[in-house]
C-alpha cells in the first residue's frame, strides 16, 4: 500500500522569515508483522491473558494516516497494549497525542487513531521531550533545542531559553559534536499543573547517561511555552564534564555549590503552592571537598509577581537511601514517592520501597509510611484516580518488564512481569488519555528508547 502526502510548512529558527516549501512524500507502508506487533502477540504467560485485537495496519484516510490498535493483553489489574505501528507516540493529553518518525512530527486528535497534522522536521529522530499544553500549544525538544507550535503543526518556531538573569541560555559547544548532551529530556511524564489559575510547565533534565555531558537545570514556562526560563541550575561537578574540558569549559553554574548527575522528578503540591524536586545519584570525589552527595530533595516556591524562585535543599544523602528516588506525587496534600536506593555505602538491605508522608516530615524517616516494598529498584510512579502505577528498574531486577500497581490508593498491591517485551524499564508515565490509558515508555536497559506501552487500570 502506498500513501502520498503533500505539505508546505517547515520549522523555523527565531527571526527567520517563513518560506513556502512544497514537499511531496512517498511512504511505502505494509502490513507484515512488525516487531511491535510481534511483541504484542507473543506469549504472555507471566503477564496475563492476551485478548484478540485488530491486526496492526496502516490505511489511507481523508484525515490523514491511521493505524489500528495492536492486540490487548490483560492482567487481574489492568489491560495493556503496545502503540500501533506509525509515529512514535511521545506524549498525550486528553484526546490528543504527539508523535514523530524519522522526518516529521505529528499531532493526533483521536488518541493516535489517525494523524491528520504533519510537519516536516529533519531532526525528529533526536526528539527527547514533548508536552501538549492546555491551550493546544505543542512544545518539543531535540537534544539541545526547543520548538513550539501554536497552530496544530502548521508551523513551529525555535524557543531560546532564558537564564535566571534574563539572558539567552545557549547550549555549550561540545568537543564531540555527535554528543552534545540531553538538555531537555525528563525521566518523569507529568510536567504541567494549574498554579493560581495559570498553567505552569516545570521539568528537569535527566542526563549525563547517554549523549554526552550536559548541565543540569529545572525549566519552567507560564505562558504556554512562548517563553521558557531556568528555575534552578545546579553547580559544576568534575564528574560530568566534556572529555578534555579545560577550567573554562566546565558545565553548570559556578555560583551554586550543590551538584548532581541529573534530575529524577519534579512535582507540584497545590496544598503548599510549592514544587518538589529530587536528584541522583551517588557520592563522588570532588577534589578538596571529598565525597559530595548527588541525591537531594529540594523545595521551590514561585513568586509570580516578581517572576522569581526560592529553592531550599531539604535532604542530601548517599545512594543507599530511600531519598534516592523519583516518582514524586501529591494527593490531598500528602507526599508519595518511589525509591531506587542502591550502592553499598550504608546498612543493608537497601532502604527502598514506595513511601508516603506529610511533606513537612520528609526529612524525618520515623514519620514515613512504607506502603509497599517491591524489593527491587523503582523510581518512576504516577498516581491518578486512586491508581498508583510504578515499575521495576530492569537492570537491577529479576523481572524483565516489571510493573507495580495498586488500584485502591495503596491498600492492596500487585506486581506483574510482562516478559514478552524483554528487558525493559518503564519511564515517563503520562496521565490517562480520554480513553483511560496511561502512556509509558519502555526503555532498553533504563534509558535507550524502545517501545511505547499503554496501560488501562481495571477500576
Amino acid at each position: 500500500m502506498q500513501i502520498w502526502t503533500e505539505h508546505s510548512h517547515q520549522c523555523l529558527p527565531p527571526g527567520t522569515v517563513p518560506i513556502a516549501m512544497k514537499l511531496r512524500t512517498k511512504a511505502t507502508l505494509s502490513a507484515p508483522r512488525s516487531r511491535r506487533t510481534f511483541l504484542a502477540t507473543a506469549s504472555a504467560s507471566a503477564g496475563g491473558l492476551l485478548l484478540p485485537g485488530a491486526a496492526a495496519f496502516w490505511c489511507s484516510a481523508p484525515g490523514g494516516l491511521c493505524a489500528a490498535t495492536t492486540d490487548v493483553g490483560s492482567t487481574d489489574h489492568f489491560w495493556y497494549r503496545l502503540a500501533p505501528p506509525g509515529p512514535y507516540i511521545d506524549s498525550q493529553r486528553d484526546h490528543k497525542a504527539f508523535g514523530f518518525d524519522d522526518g516529521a512530527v505529528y499531532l493526533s486528535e483521536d488518541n493516535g487513531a489517525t494523524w491528520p497534522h504533519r510537519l516536516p522536521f529533519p531532526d525528529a529522530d533526536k526528539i527527547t521531550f514533548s508536552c501538549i499544553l492546555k491551550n493546544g500549544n505543542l512544545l518539543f525538544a531535540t537534544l539541545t533545542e526547543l520548538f513550539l507550535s501554536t497552530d496544530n503543526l502548521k508551523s513551529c518556531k525555535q524557543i531560546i531559553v532564558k537564564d535566571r538573569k534574563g539572558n539567552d541560555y545557549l547550549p555549550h559547544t561540545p568537543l564531540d559534536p555527535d554528543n552534545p548532551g540531553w538538555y531537555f529530556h525528563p525521566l518523569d511524564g507529568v510536567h504541567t499543573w494549574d498554579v493560581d489559575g495559570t498553567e505552569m510547565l516545570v521539568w528537569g533534565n535527566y542526563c549525563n547517561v547517554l549523549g554526552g555531558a550536559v548541565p543540569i537545570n529545572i525549566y519552567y514556562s507560564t505562558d504556554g511555552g512562548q517563553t521558557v526560563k531556568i528555575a534552578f541550575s545546579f553547580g559544576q561537578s568534575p564528574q560530568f564534564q566534556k572529555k578534555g574540558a579545560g577550567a573554562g569549559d566546565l558545565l553548570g553554574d559556578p555560583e551554586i555549590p550543590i551538584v548532581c548527575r541529573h534530575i529524577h522528578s519534579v512535582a507540584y503540591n497545590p496544598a503548599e503552592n510549592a514544587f518538589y524536586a529530587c536528584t541522583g545519584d551517588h557520592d563522588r570525589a570532588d577534589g578538596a571537598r571529598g565525597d559530595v552527595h548527588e541525591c537531594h530533595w529540594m523545595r521551590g516556591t514561585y513568586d509570580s509577581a516578581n517572576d522569581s524562585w526560592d529553592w531550599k535543599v531539604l535532604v542530601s544523602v548517599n545512594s543507599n537511601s530511600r531519598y534516592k528516588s523519583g516518582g514524586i506525587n501529591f494527593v490531598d496534600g500528602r507526599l508519595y514517592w518511589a525509591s531506587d536506593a542502591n550502592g553499598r555505602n550504608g546498612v543493608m538491605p537497601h532502604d527502598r520501597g514506595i513511601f508516603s508522608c506529610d511533606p513537612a516530615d520528609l526529612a524525618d524517616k520515623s514519620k514515613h509510611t512504607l506502603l509497599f516494598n517491591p524489593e527491587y529498584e523503582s523510581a518512576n510512579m504516577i498516581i491518578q484516580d486512586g491508581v498508583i502505577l510504578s515499575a521495576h528498574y530492569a537492570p537491577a531486577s529479576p523481572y524483565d518488564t516489571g510493573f507495580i500497581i495498586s488500584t485502591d490508593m495503596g491498600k492492596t498491591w500487585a506486581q506483574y512481569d510482562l516478559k514478552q517485551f524483554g528487558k525493559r524499564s518503564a519511564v515517563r508515565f503520562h496521565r490517562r488519555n480520554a480513553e483511560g490509558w496511561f502512556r509509558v515508555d519502555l526503555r532498553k536497559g533504563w534509558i535507550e528508547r524502545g517501545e511505547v506501552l499503554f496501560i488501562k487500570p481495571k477500576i
Side-chain angles (χ1 to χ4, degrees):
M1 183 184 298
Q2 295 181 345
I3 298 173
W4 293 84
T5 56
E6 291 188 351
H7 307 277
S8 58
H9 308 287
Q10 58 184 324
C11 209
L12 302 171
T16 305
V17 177
I19 301 175
M21 178 180 67
K22 194 76 170 178
L23 175 65
R24 186 168 178 85
T25 304
K26 178 180 178 181
T28 303
L29 307 168
S30 59
R33 290 161 62 89
S34 66
R35 168 170 161 73
R36 295 185 187 179
T37 307
F38 172 77
L39 286 171
T41 55
S43 170
S45 57
L49 174 68
L50 277 176
L51 303 179
F57 69 100
W58 283 81
C59 63
S60 58
L65 299 176
C66 66
T69 57
T70 52
D71 291 341
V72 177
S74 178
T75 72
D76 288 344
H77 289 80
F78 58 85
W79 295 280
Y80 61 94
R81 60 179 176 85
L82 283 171
Y88 183 92
I89 302 176
D90 194 64
S91 57
Q92 66 179 23
R93 181 170 187 153
D94 299 328
H95 59 283
K96 293 183 177 181
F98 173 85
F100 61 88
D101 59 18
D102 289 341
V105 290
Y106 300 83
L107 174 65
S108 171
E109 297 178 305
D110 52 13
N111 299 308
T114 63
W115 299 91
H117 306 286
R118 179 187 187 276
L119 179 67
F121 191 76
D123 287 334
D125 61 336
K126 297 178 182 178
I127 288 176
T128 57
F129 164 73
S130 64
C131 185
I132 304 172
L133 283 300
K134 182 168 61 176
N135 65 0
N137 289 357
L138 300 172
L139 186 71
F140 58 97
T142 59
L143 301 175
T144 60
E145 297 176 316
L146 273 174
F147 298 90
L148 179 71
S149 175
T150 61
D151 53 12
N152 291 332
L153 292 183
K154 290 183 176 65
S155 65
C156 70
K157 62 180 180 180
Q158 187 177 352
I159 300 296
I160 301 298
V161 174
K162 299 294 183 180
D163 66 19
R164 290 179 296 136
K165 297 179 182 179
N167 301 317
D168 287 353
Y169 181 81
L170 302 175
H172 69 283
T173 300
L175 298 180
D176 178 1
D178 293 329
N179 290 285
W182 292 9
Y183 270 78
F184 303 108
H185 169 265
L187 196 64
D188 51 8
V190 176
H191 307 120
T192 60
W193 297 271
D194 185 359
V195 180
D196 293 332
T198 298
E199 182 180 55
M200 285 191 68
L201 166 64
V202 186
W203 82 102
N205 57 327
Y206 185 89
C207 50
N208 292 315
V209 178
L210 294 178
V214 69
I216 303 96
N217 302 304
I218 299 175
Y219 303 96
Y220 76 104
S221 177
T222 61
D223 59 5
Q226 296 279 3
T227 307
V228 176
K229 302 178 182 180
I230 290 180
F232 187 84
S233 292
F234 286 84
Q236 297 176 340
S237 168
Q239 304 295 332
F240 306 113
Q241 302 294 335
K242 300 177 290 182
K243 290 184 179 180
D249 298 321
L250 298 181
L251 304 176
D253 191 328
E255 299 178 2
I256 303 296
I258 180 174
V259 298
C260 66
R261 185 184 190 185
H262 42 220
I263 297 169
H264 287 177
S265 182
V266 181
Y268 175 67
N269 182 14
E272 297 179 89
N273 194 21
F275 288 85
Y276 284 71
C278 59
T279 69
D281 278 314
H282 298 286
D283 293 352
R284 302 180 200 267
D286 187 10
R289 291 194 296 173
D291 286 348
V292 175
H293 293 320
E294 295 174 352
C295 295
H296 313 285
W297 274 73
M298 302 172 60
R299 181 181 184 274
T301 54
Y302 176 66
D303 181 349
S304 59
N306 295 302
D307 190 24
S308 62
W309 288 83
D310 180 26
W311 291 93
K312 290 182 172 57
V313 177
L314 303 177
V315 178
S316 290
V317 293
N318 65 47
S319 61
N320 188 9
S321 166
R322 68 186 61 179
Y323 297 110
K324 181 179 182 293
S325 55
I328 301 174
N329 288 261
F330 292 92
V331 180
D332 297 329
R334 191 166 178 83
L335 169 62
Y336 298 79
W337 74 98
S339 170
D340 67 334
N342 60 11
R344 300 191 178 277
N345 49 355
V347 178
M348 298 296 171
H350 293 102
D351 180 25
R352 64 168 70 115
I354 295 175
F355 296 91
S356 177
C357 73
D358 185 292
D361 297 327
L362 177 64
D364 186 349
K365 293 196 292 185
S366 69
K367 295 183 179 179
H368 297 176
T369 299
L370 175 61
L371 298 175
F372 181 71
N373 187 355
E375 298 184 6
Y376 306 102
E377 297 174 33
S378 174
N380 287 278
M381 187 170 68
I382 192 169
I383 303 177
Q384 186 179 359
D385 302 325
V387 175
I388 305 176
L389 182 64
S390 185
H392 286 244
Y393 165 65
S397 171
Y399 287 63
D400 284 340
T401 301
F403 281 94
I404 307 157
I405 189 168
S406 171
T407 56
D408 53 16
M409 207 53 210
K411 296 177 183 177
T412 60
W413 293 86
Q415 300 192 86
Y416 295 95
D417 188 1
L418 307 185
K419 288 183 176 295
Q420 65 268 37
F421 302 130
K423 273 291 183 182
R424 294 290 188 269
S425 299
V427 303
R428 296 182 68 228
F429 291 27
H430 285 73
R431 294 186 183 110
R432 298 169 70 191
N433 64 18
E435 296 176 351
W437 295 87
F438 290 109
R439 180 216 159 276
V440 183
D441 275 13
L442 297 184
R443 295 289 177 93
K444 304 172 187 177
W446 84 98
I447 194 62
E448 184 183 351
R449 191 165 63 225
E451 300 80 34
V452 172
L453 187 72
F454 291 93
I455 290 179
K456 188 173 185 177
K458 295 180 177 180
I459 54 176

